[in-house]
Amino acid sequence: MRCPYCHNEYTRVLDTTHDQRGGIRRRRECEKCHQRFSTYERPILATPLVVKKDGTREEFDREKLMRGIRIACAKRPVSAAEIERLVGEIESSLQQMGRAEVPSRVIGDMVIAGLKDLDQIAYIRYAIVYLNLNDLRAIREEIDRLLEG
């Protein structure tokens, strides 16, 4: 692992922790500049192809999913760790399905469910686009459903 500060190849592992999804977090120190930094390792497991509405297929893109959720959570009290956890849970669920292909709708439904628990404003922001809520009445009905549940 190269040091992100001086790009030296030699670093020393100070601490290693494991998470419930099989990832490994390592605290490291550069042997040259003595800066400390963390790395996160996770296993690369096969994720299914995503089948879009128009029938096209594309590789699952963790960063694309992360961007969409970050946009919905912008200026909300949602930490980066919570967003990372949600994306990790969705990715893990997709891998555990064991399917070669999954409709994009399935991923969207997982995001909607996760955001509903995480932050209601972020949920509404995402739902406006995902559920195609194109007028104020539709948005109000969704907010009313959220308040009732």
Side-chain angles (χ1 to χ4, degrees):
M1 171 55 63
R2 288 186 183 270
C3 172
Y5 302 103
C6 72
H7 305 291
N8 180 34
E9 286 188 36
Y10 301 101
T11 61
R12 187 166 52 108
V13 175
L14 303 173
D15 184 44
T16 300
T17 55
H18 300 269
D19 70 12
Q20 65 273 13
R21 289 175 283 147
I24 300 170
R25 183 181 181 275
R26 297 189 196 279
R27 190 73 181 142
R28 298 175 180 267
E29 181 178 40
C30 176
E31 292 183 357
K32 182 178 176 186
C33 70
H34 302 290
Q35 289 285 339
R36 291 185 177 194
F37 59 98
S38 294
T39 59
Y40 187 78
E41 302 170 21
R42 59 185 171 82
I44 299 175
L45 301 172
T47 51
L49 286 176
V50 178
V51 182
K52 309 294 270 179
K53 279 184 190 176
D54 63 3
T56 60
R57 285 157 175 75
E58 64 182 49
E59 291 287 328
F60 172 78
D61 185 349
R62 180 183 173 86
E63 291 306 312
K64 183 177 178 182
L65 179 61
M66 185 90 71
R67 269 192 312 275
I69 294 173
R70 278 190 187 134
I71 289 168
C73 295
K75 298 185 181 181
R76 298 295 307 150
V78 178
S79 70
E82 290 172 310
I83 294 171
E84 179 70 36
R85 180 193 52 77
L86 177 58
V87 170
E89 287 174 2
I90 292 169
E91 185 177 28
S92 179
S93 295
L94 292 172
Q95 291 165 343
Q96 290 173 2
M97 285 180 176
R99 294 170 39 191
E101 296 180 343
V102 65
S104 60
R105 187 88 182 162
V106 170
I107 298 170
D109 290 346
M110 289 179 183
V111 173
I112 282 286
L115 285 176
K116 191 180 248 185
D117 294 336
L118 195 60
D119 185 89
Q120 293 181 342
I121 301 299
Y123 165 80
I124 290 296
R125 288 175 174 172
Y126 195 87
I128 288 170
V129 176
Y130 179 67
L131 299 176
N132 198 24
L133 305 177
N134 51 14
D135 63 19
L136 291 176
R137 179 163 279 120
I139 295 169
R140 184 178 191 167
E141 288 170 4
E142 189 60 34
I143 291 171
D144 289 343
R145 272 195 292 278
L146 189 60
L147 291 172
E148 290 171 5

